[in-house]
Amino acid sequence: MLLIIGSFIGFILLIALIFFLFRLFSITVFYIPGFDLFFQYVIIAIPYFLFFAAYYYLYNKIKLCKSKASRIIARILLSMGCAIGLVTLFLSTAIFLHVKSDALRVFEDNGHYALIAQIIVIFLTAATLASGDEKEKDWKERTNE
């Protein structure tokens, strides 16, 4: 029983130590000139890097699809998603660099729709690839064979 209580207390202390180290690291790093701007840009770019990683994963899965129509549709959707990602990353970078434009002001107000569009494109691409494969056997059919 003492081992369980000690493990629980040790886990709590480990989490507290991790929080303390992260806080110490962030306080130290923000005294470096220009790091706050770098941090802001990284926060802007992280969703786009995640989307590009998803596009890369789906691009590798296109080769494994058996249906030619599904491969073609998936490539079209993937190209469209990459184009949306590149354009919105460019526009977000322009907003970060304080470029003055009416179009950028409109994008800044509605930029979240571009992220939603990328999620939809990723979902549609994955669904297209899944529709091109044969139906998966359930557990009863697998055990009978």
Side-chain angles (χ1 to χ4, degrees):
M1 189 66 165
L2 192 59
L3 187 60
I4 293 173
I5 294 171
S7 298
F8 181 72
I9 292 172
F11 179 73
I12 300 276
L13 289 175
L14 178 69
I15 297 297
L17 180 67
I18 289 172
F19 280 129
F20 174 74
L21 289 175
F22 279 146
R23 183 175 175 161
L24 182 66
F25 177 73
S26 68
I27 290 171
T28 305
V29 167
F30 276 105
Y31 280 111
I32 299 172
F35 187 80
D36 55 342
L37 293 175
F38 171 74
F39 180 74
Q40 289 172 4
Y41 187 72
V42 166
I43 294 299
I44 290 171
I46 282 175
Y48 297 104
F49 291 138
L50 291 175
F51 288 132
F52 288 135
Y55 293 142
Y56 180 73
Y57 175 76
L58 289 173
Y59 175 75
N60 289 333
K61 291 296 180 182
I62 288 175
K63 301 170 193 169
L64 303 175
C65 188
K66 297 188 186 328
S67 172
K68 185 176 181 180
S70 293
R71 283 194 309 254
I72 291 171
I73 294 170
R75 282 190 178 120
I76 290 170
L77 287 171
L78 208 59
S79 300
M80 185 175 67
C82 284
I84 291 171
L86 287 173
V87 168
T88 55
L89 178 61
F90 176 75
L91 292 174
S92 296
T93 303
I95 290 170
F96 176 74
L97 297 174
H98 302 292
V99 174
K100 301 294 181 198
S101 172
D102 292 332
L104 285 178
R105 223 172 289 127
V106 171
F107 175 75
E108 187 175 13
D109 294 336
N110 301 310
H112 57 281
Y113 292 122
L115 297 175
I116 293 170
Q118 288 187 31
I119 292 172
I120 291 171
V121 167
I122 288 172
F123 176 74
L124 289 176
T125 305
T128 303
L129 289 174
S131 69
D133 289 339
E134 61 189 39
K135 185 178 176 186
E136 187 175 330
K137 296 178 184 178
D138 69 357
W139 65 275
K140 288 182 183 179
E141 292 175 3
R142 279 188 246 153
T143 56
N144 290 338
E145 293 177 357

